[in-house]
Amino acid sequence: DCHGRTAQRAGIPVPRGAFERLEVARAEANADATLRHADVPLCYEGRDFVGHMCWCEGAGPRPLVLVVHNYAGLKRFDKEQAAFLARCGFAALAVDMYGADTSDPATRIKTPENARTHFRMAFGAMNNLLRDHVLFRGLLRAWLAAGRAHPSADIAGRAAAIGYCFGG
């Protein structure tokens, strides 16, 4: 595992599978906590976006993790990753980087034509963000502020981001 090799190179002995056991233990510790979900609307530069926040009720403020979707846009997978992170002890916000620049998630792959249209729109939206670094960074900062404003998030500055293909 990557973390184990890094720790060993630094001279820190790490038993095999230690990081995997830690993740399982964190998830089990929060398994009985009530998982909560909420849509998080965001208006940035006159455009509307909707992210998805997950946290465990009663856990107190937790470090925030932004979950950035892949090129295809915010979808169930990203929301499930946020829920997993919440069960591991984080406040997690699956962010929407495209807003109305892609098709409706409920219909985006219902037919082959819908799927073609969606992927064409998604690649266009991704490329627009990749070309406009000011917009891209500004939108990420806005999502970070929205996540930190949520009562489940620790506003002391502890935050991270993960991503897939587009956001990683």
Side-chain angles (χ1 to χ4, degrees):
D1 61 36
C2 178
H3 299 293
R5 287 190 306 272
T6 302
Q8 288 169 347
R9 280 196 300 269
I12 302 167
V14 177
R16 189 166 221 9
F19 288 98
E20 291 83 0
R21 287 191 302 273
L22 174 63
E23 293 306 315
V24 169
R26 281 185 173 173
E28 287 173 353
N30 286 307
D32 291 334
T34 303
L35 181 67
R36 297 290 183 210
H37 300 260
D39 285 340
V40 177
L42 175 73
C43 183
Y44 182 75
E45 293 195 357
R47 296 177 54 207
D48 293 322
F49 302 86
V50 179
H52 191 77
M53 187 78 172
C54 295
W55 71 98
C56 284
E57 188 175 75
R62 298 297 181 104
L64 175 66
V65 178
L66 298 182
V67 179
V68 183
H69 55 74
N70 70 5
Y71 77 96
L74 183 63
K75 61 201 151 310
R76 185 175 70 200
F77 172 80
D78 309 301
K79 295 175 183 181
E80 289 171 353
Q81 292 305 303
F84 173 78
L85 289 165
R87 287 187 191 99
C88 289
F90 299 94
L93 176 57
V95 303
D96 172 16
M97 298 297 290
Y98 297 161
D101 288 347
T102 59
S103 57
D104 178 3
T107 61
R108 64 176 55 153
I109 58 171
K110 293 266 186 206
T111 67
E113 184 55 36
N114 285 11
R116 280 190 292 276
T117 299
H118 168 70
F119 291 121
R120 203 172 19 256
M121 292 173 74
F123 272 112
M126 179 187 71
N127 286 322
N128 287 339
L129 281 171
L130 294 176
R131 281 191 294 268
D132 189 344
H133 296 163
V134 173
L135 174 62
F136 183 70
R137 290 180 184 141
L139 186 53
L140 283 174
R141 280 189 203 102
W143 278 120
L144 180 59
R148 284 185 168 153
H150 194 273
S152 68
D154 178 2
I155 60 170
R158 298 183 306 170
I162 63 170
Y164 303 90
C165 173
F166 168 81

